[in-house]
Amino acid sequence: MTPRAPYLQDAAGRQFPLADQPIVLGRSEKCAVYIADARASRRHAQIAWDGETSTLSDLGSANGTFLNGRRIAAPEPLRDGDEITVASAVLTFHDPESTLRAANFPRLIVDAKTGEIWVNRKPVSLSPKEQALFDLLYQNAGAPIGKQQIAQAVWPEYEAAVYDYQIESLVKRLREKIEPDPAEPVLIVTVHGRGYKIVS
C-alpha cells in the first residue's frame, strides 16, 4: 500500500503536497510554495520526502528558516504538527501516516553550534555532570556505554573508583530532566549487562 504523502498547509488553509521531487519555498513565482515577502529569498528553503521521512533544508537564505521558532543550522527531519516559518509565512507540516507511537515518542533536538538541548520543543538545562553524561551518550547514539567509560568521561578528576550508585544516580537525574516519564524511559535506556544508550 502506497503511503499517503505528507503536505504543508498555510494560514489560509491551502495545502501543498510533497511528492518524489523536493518542493521549494521562496519569493520566486517558480517555487511550489510562493512567499510574497521581500524578506524571503528567491529560493529560500526546501522540503524533500523519500517516501518515509520529510526533511527541511535552508537553501542559504539571508534571513534563515525557522522550525518551531528555532532557526535551523542543518537539514532537519519533520514531524506531524511542526511549524515552518519563512519570513512572514507560517506553514504547518502534516503527515497522515504518522503513528501514535511516533507522536508520543519524545522529540530530542541538539543544536550542534550552541549545544542547547530541546525535548518536545522545550529547552532543557543540565548540570555540568549531567551534560557530560548526555554528551557521551549522544555522541555514541544507539551504542551502549558501559559504567567504566561513563566514570572516566564524567569524573576525570577522580583517581579513586567511581561507584555504581553515583552513575545510577546521575542517570536517574538526567532521565528526570529529559524523559516525559522517567519511570518508563524511552530516550535513555538500560542495556542489561552493557550499560546505557541514548535513542534519538
Side-chain angles (χ1 to χ4, degrees), residues 74-141:
E76 294 206 17
L78 295 172
R79 299 237 180 142
D80 187 54
D82 278 345
E83 284 192 350
I84 299 160
T85 304
V86 172
S88 59
V90 179
L91 301 109
T92 304
F93 174 77
H94 294 284
D95 182 1
E97 292 292 313
S98 63
T99 62
L100 182 62
R101 181 183 178 279
N104 289 339
F105 193 84
R107 184 175 186 188
L108 173 65
I109 297 292
V110 179
D111 190 307
K113 290 186 177 180
T114 65
E116 292 178 333
I117 301 168
W118 298 68
V119 176
N120 289 341
R121 306 176 188 177
K122 296 180 181 179
V124 175
S125 179
L126 302 179
S127 71
K129 294 296 185 191
E130 292 165 354
Q131 185 73 53
L133 174 59
F134 177 86
D135 289 345
L136 175 65
L137 295 175
Y138 188 74
Q139 289 162 9
N140 297 277

Side-chain angles (χ1 to χ4, degrees), residues 130-186:
E130 292 165 354
Q131 185 73 53
L133 174 59
F134 177 86
D135 289 345
L136 175 65
L137 295 175
Y138 188 74
Q139 289 162 9
N140 297 277
I145 304 299
K147 289 183 176 179
Q148 182 64 32
Q149 193 174 347
I150 292 173
Q152 292 172 347
V154 178
W155 287 274
E157 71 278 12
Y158 278 28
E159 294 182 6
V162 175
Y163 297 100
D164 282 359
Y165 79 86
Q166 292 173 279
I167 296 172
E168 291 161 4
S169 176
L170 182 62
V171 170
K172 181 175 182 288
R173 295 200 304 273
L174 181 57
R175 282 172 168 162
E176 288 171 349
K177 294 282 185 73
I178 73 170
E179 296 279 4
D181 182 1
E184 297 288 340
V186 293

